């Protein structure tokens, strides 16, 4: 099995563990911290998230340039590029510390109307620890990016899986013995430092990568930033898009509302993670296709091939959440969080098309034609956040998310027009081959699933698990009959026969 396939498989294992353990651990964390402190924990995490965008998109830039240098067999160029980017990272870490200190002394002013004096004191301690965390993890992330550029996906993903399991066990023990949100932040910082050291050892000793500055030219630095700045804008948009609500609700409402919003966002991002497992390993392949000047038809066929796999996976999650998601949230975290269902569902519905078209974004990155898309994302996000800031005062977390996903929908429509104009993507063909059969399947599943829900009004874990099992069997059977094409069925047949 290739590194690409193993990497995608390990990503799904990681996502499965992350989701399952997260679903188990979240109510335990909420119970031990309380709604208010859990909201505070997510609020400060979101606030720090804004500073994390000062990565300036260098991680994705490293993947793209390393893949490019490897395709061109330019070892000296790679060494020089990595040395320059690490020097830039050091400067960024210093900048983050300076900005963090400035913000630290203004936390009282920012959250004076929504946080208590006790909450503000805890917030300040967590903020300082997380600033240090960020200053080391941003440059440390370069090692994972280098592995991706080399198409070595297995090792860093195994380390990530081990890290998550160990962290979860330690979080459980910490809270069991009376720990709080500050202890959780300290634990995360220690774990991140260990992962950086391990990944660094792998890059230097197993991949034999060198950081060596052969020459320093401002024009080359300009070339790096001409690409990375728009990745930075993408990161900025993603951060504001999903974390702005935490800050706005923390200012306009209270920490409990932040907690409710946070749970909905968490479930929505879990959904997106199933797509990113595949989308996260295709940038090197996209770069190779661009270097080889592949046609719009071939690029579309690749996007269809990848998109169909993603859509089949997302389709099951979406339909299951529509049918039993509300019941799950009630059992999982309680009635207080019932608005989290609508928040998560809106994210899932509106983000499906962009997630399925993730390969298209990789093509934009690989071809350095990301500027227009980044500007579009920034404009639509700012409009959505501005509207959400005003609406959330009256309509709370649901009003906030409606504004955000509305902006995302407009963005998705314009992006498809851009794909057609710039790369000659056959978008009609893409939607026909990727979505037509799955939509028919979803309609059938909703019709039958609604009937299953009416068989019992009991709300219990046993009832939920039984419904979930029935949905799995139905979806698998109907997918094979309705969705899978001849080639995909043959792949499954060959796999079963082989094993």
């Amino acid at each position: 099995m290739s590194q690409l396939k193993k990497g995608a498989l390990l990503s799904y294992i990681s996502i499965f563990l992350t989701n399952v353990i997260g679903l188990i651990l979240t109510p335990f964390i909420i119970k031990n911290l309380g709604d208010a402190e859990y909201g505070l924990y997510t609020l400060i995490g979101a606030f720090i998230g804004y500073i994390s965008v000062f990565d300036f998109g260098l991680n994705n830039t490293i993947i793209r340039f390393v893949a490019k240098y490897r395709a061109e067999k330019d070892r000296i160029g790679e060494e020089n590029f990595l040395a320059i980017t690490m020097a830039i990272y050091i400067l960024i870490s210093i900048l983050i510390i300076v900005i963090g200190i400035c913000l630290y002394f203004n936390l009282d002013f920012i959250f004076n109307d929504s946080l208590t004096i006790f909450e503000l004191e805890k917030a300040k301690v967590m903020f300082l620890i997380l600033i240090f965390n960020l200053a080391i993890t941003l440059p440390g992330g370069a090692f994972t990016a280098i592995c991706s550029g080399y198409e070595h996906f297995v090792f860093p993903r195994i380390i990530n899986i081990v890290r998550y399991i160990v962290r979860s066990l330690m979080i459980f023990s910490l809270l069991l013995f009376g720990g709080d949100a500050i202890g959780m932040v300290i634990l995360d910082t220690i774990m991140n430092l260990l992962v950086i050291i391990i990944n660094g050892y792998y890059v230097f000793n197993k991949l034999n990568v060198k950081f060596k500055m052969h020459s320093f030219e401002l024009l080359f630095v300009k070339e790096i930033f001409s690409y990375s700045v728009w990745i930075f804008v993408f990161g900025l948009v993603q951060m504001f898009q999903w974390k702005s609500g935490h800050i706005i609700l923390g200012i306009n409402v209270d920490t409990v509302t932040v907690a409710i919003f946070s749970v909905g966002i968490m479930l929505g991002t879990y959904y997106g993670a199933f797509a990113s497992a595949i989308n996260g390993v295709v940038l090197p392949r996209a770069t190779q296709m661009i270097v080889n000047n592949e046609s719009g038809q071939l690029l579309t066929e690749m996007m269809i091939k990848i998109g169909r796999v993603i859509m089949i996976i997302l389709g099951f999650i979406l339909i299951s959440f529509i049918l039993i998601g509300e019941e799950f949230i009630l059992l999982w975290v309680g009635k207080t969080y019932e608005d989290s269902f609508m928040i998560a569902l809106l994210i899932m519905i509106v983000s499906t098309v962009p997630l399925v078209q993730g390969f298209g974004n990789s093509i934009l990155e690989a071809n350095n034609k990301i500027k227009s898309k980044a500007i579009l994302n920034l404009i639509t996000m700012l409009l959505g956040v501005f509207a959400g800031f005003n609406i959330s005062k009256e309509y709370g977390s649901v009003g906030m998310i409606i504004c955000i996903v509305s902006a995302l929908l407009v963005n998705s429509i314009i992006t498809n027009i851009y794909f057609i104009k710039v790369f000659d993507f056959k978008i009609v063909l893409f939607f026909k081959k990727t979505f037509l059969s799955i939509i028919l399947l979803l309609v059938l599943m909703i019709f039958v699933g609604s009937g299953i829900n009416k068989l019992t009004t009991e709300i219990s874990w046993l009832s939920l698990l039984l419904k979930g099992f029935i949905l799995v069997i139905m979806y698998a059977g109907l997918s094979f009959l309705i969705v899978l094409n001849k080639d995909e069925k043959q792949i499954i047949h060959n796999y079963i026969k082989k094993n």
Side-chain angles (χ1 to χ4, degrees):
M1 189 183 293
S2 68
Q3 280 275 333
L4 191 67
K5 292 179 180 178
K6 288 179 181 177
L9 178 61
L10 285 170
S11 291
Y12 274 111
I13 293 173
S14 176
I15 290 167
F16 177 78
L17 287 172
T18 301
N19 290 1
V20 171
I21 295 174
L23 292 175
I24 295 171
L25 204 57
T26 298
F28 179 77
I29 293 173
I30 292 174
K31 181 181 177 181
N32 283 271
L33 293 183
D35 294 331
E37 185 163 344
Y38 177 72
L40 180 66
Y41 173 70
T42 57
L43 173 63
I44 297 302
F47 199 64
I48 287 292
Y50 286 123
I51 306 174
S52 72
V53 299
F54 284 97
D55 165 69
F56 288 104
L58 284 178
N59 266 10
N60 275 42
T61 304
I62 289 172
I63 297 173
R64 189 251 184 182
F65 273 85
V66 168
K68 175 178 175 291
Y69 284 126
R70 290 190 69 227
E72 296 171 348
K73 296 182 173 29
D74 184 358
R75 184 76 176 183
I76 293 177
E78 177 190 312
E79 291 174 358
N80 197 57
F81 163 75
L82 290 175
I84 291 173
T85 52
M86 190 52 67
I88 295 170
Y89 262 129
I90 292 171
L91 293 176
I92 289 173
S93 291
I94 294 171
L95 177 64
I96 284 171
I97 292 171
V98 172
I99 292 173
I101 292 171
C102 293
L103 287 173
Y104 172 81
F105 289 107
N106 286 280
L107 289 178
D108 294 272
F109 173 74
I110 296 170
F111 296 111
N112 185 56
D113 294 333
S114 57
L115 301 185
T116 65
I117 295 175
F118 178 71
E119 287 175 334
L120 274 171
E121 289 304 314
K122 275 204 166 187
K124 287 181 177 180
V125 175
M126 285 191 285
F127 187 83
L128 281 178
I129 298 168
L130 286 170
I131 284 294
F132 171 74
N133 189 339
L134 196 58
I136 60 172
T137 52
L138 281 184
F143 297 125
T144 304
I146 291 168
C147 290
S148 296
Y150 270 71
E151 295 193 67
H152 276 243
F153 304 106
V154 174
F155 182 80
R157 279 161 174 74
I158 289 175
I159 293 300
N160 190 53
I161 290 170
V162 173
R163 172 192 174 278
Y164 191 76
I165 293 172
V166 172
R167 176 193 179 272
S168 300
L169 291 172
M170 294 185 74
I171 288 287
F172 179 82
S173 302
L174 176 71
L175 295 178
L176 197 62
F177 289 98
D180 60 3
I182 294 175
M184 291 172 63
V185 170
I186 293 173
L187 175 61
D188 282 336
T189 302
I190 294 171
M191 294 297 297
N192 287 341
L193 185 57
L194 288 173
V195 168
I196 290 169
I197 293 171
I198 294 169
N199 284 337
Y201 176 84
Y202 183 82
V203 165
F204 290 125
N205 292 276
K206 299 298 180 181
L207 299 182
N208 297 316
V209 171
K210 293 181 181 179
F211 292 62
K212 185 176 181 181
M213 194 173 295
H214 297 274
S215 64
F216 183 85
E217 298 178 9
L218 287 176
L219 284 176
F220 184 59
V221 175
K222 183 180 178 182
E223 181 185 353
I224 292 173
F225 275 103
S226 68
Y227 175 81
S228 69
V229 69
W230 300 113
I231 304 296
F232 159 68
V233 173
F234 264 110
L236 187 69
V237 169
Q238 288 294 315
M239 196 61 63
F240 270 88
Q241 186 168 268
W242 301 125
K243 293 188 180 294
S244 60
H246 298 73
I247 307 298
I248 290 171
L249 293 171
I251 293 171
N252 286 344
V253 195
D254 53 41
T255 52
V256 175
T257 304
V258 173
I260 294 167
F261 186 79
S262 175
V263 168
I265 293 291
M266 180 178 66
L267 292 173
T269 53
Y270 279 176
Y271 179 75
F274 281 94
S276 64
I278 295 176
N279 290 330
V281 298
V282 297
L283 179 55
R285 187 62 51 85
T287 301
Q288 292 171 12
M289 293 185 75
I290 291 299
V291 169
N292 294 330
N293 294 314
E294 303 288 6
S295 67
Q297 180 68 37
L298 288 175
L299 293 175
T300 304
E301 288 174 5
M302 179 59 75
M303 189 162 73
I304 290 171
K305 184 178 179 181
I306 296 170
R308 281 179 61 82
V309 176
I310 294 173
M311 189 60 231
I312 290 171
I313 295 167
L314 295 185
F316 172 71
I317 300 169
L318 180 59
I319 196 64
S320 298
F321 194 75
I322 290 172
L323 293 170
I324 59 176
E326 199 164 6
E327 183 180 344
F328 166 75
I329 289 175
L330 184 63
L331 291 167
W332 179 46
V333 286
K335 189 173 177 59
T336 302
Y337 292 83
E338 61 183 350
D339 282 348
S340 299
F341 169 76
M342 184 56 65
I343 293 167
L345 182 59
L346 287 171
I347 294 171
M348 291 178 186
I349 291 172
V350 178
S351 64
T352 295
V353 170
L355 289 172
V356 172
Q357 293 182 330
F359 181 73
N361 287 328
S362 294
I363 290 295
L364 290 176
E365 290 185 39
N367 204 33
N368 202 10
K369 288 186 178 291
I370 206 166
K371 178 179 177 180
S372 299
K373 180 71 166 62
I375 293 173
L376 168 66
N377 283 13
L378 183 62
I379 292 172
T380 55
M381 178 275 299
L382 288 174
L383 290 173
V385 170
F386 177 76
F389 181 84
N390 292 285
I391 290 178
S392 65
K393 294 177 182 179
E394 184 174 354
Y395 296 101
S397 56
V398 174
M400 185 75 222
I401 199 62
I402 286 174
C403 293
I404 290 174
V405 297
S406 296
L408 184 61
L409 179 61
V410 172
N411 186 298
S412 180
I413 293 169
I414 299 174
T415 297
N416 276 277
I417 297 172
Y418 187 75
F419 282 152
I420 295 170
K421 297 293 184 182
V422 176
F423 292 105
D424 192 29
F425 276 177
K426 314 303 178 184
I427 291 298
V428 174
L429 178 66
F430 170 80
F431 276 96
K432 180 181 177 181
K433 288 195 172 184
T434 307
F435 286 96
L436 195 59
S437 57
I438 202 78
I439 289 174
L440 175 60
L441 172 60
L442 294 182
V443 171
L444 285 172
M445 288 287 294
I446 290 176
F447 179 75
V448 178
S450 298
I452 294 172
N453 274 339
K454 291 178 182 178
L455 293 177
T456 175
T457 56
E458 178 188 5
I459 298 178
S460 67
W461 283 112
L462 181 61
S463 172
L464 187 72
L465 289 172
L466 180 60
K467 291 175 184 176
F469 178 75
I470 294 171
L471 289 174
V472 169
I473 300 300
M474 283 176 51
Y475 191 85
L478 290 173
S479 292
F480 192 84
L481 293 173
I482 298 173
V483 178
L484 298 185
N485 59 38
K486 184 179 178 180
D487 292 337
E488 291 162 345
K489 289 178 180 178
Q490 188 61 46
I491 291 172
I492 294 174
H493 176 76
N494 292 340
Y495 180 81
I496 294 172
K497 187 177 179 181
K498 183 179 178 180
N499 292 276

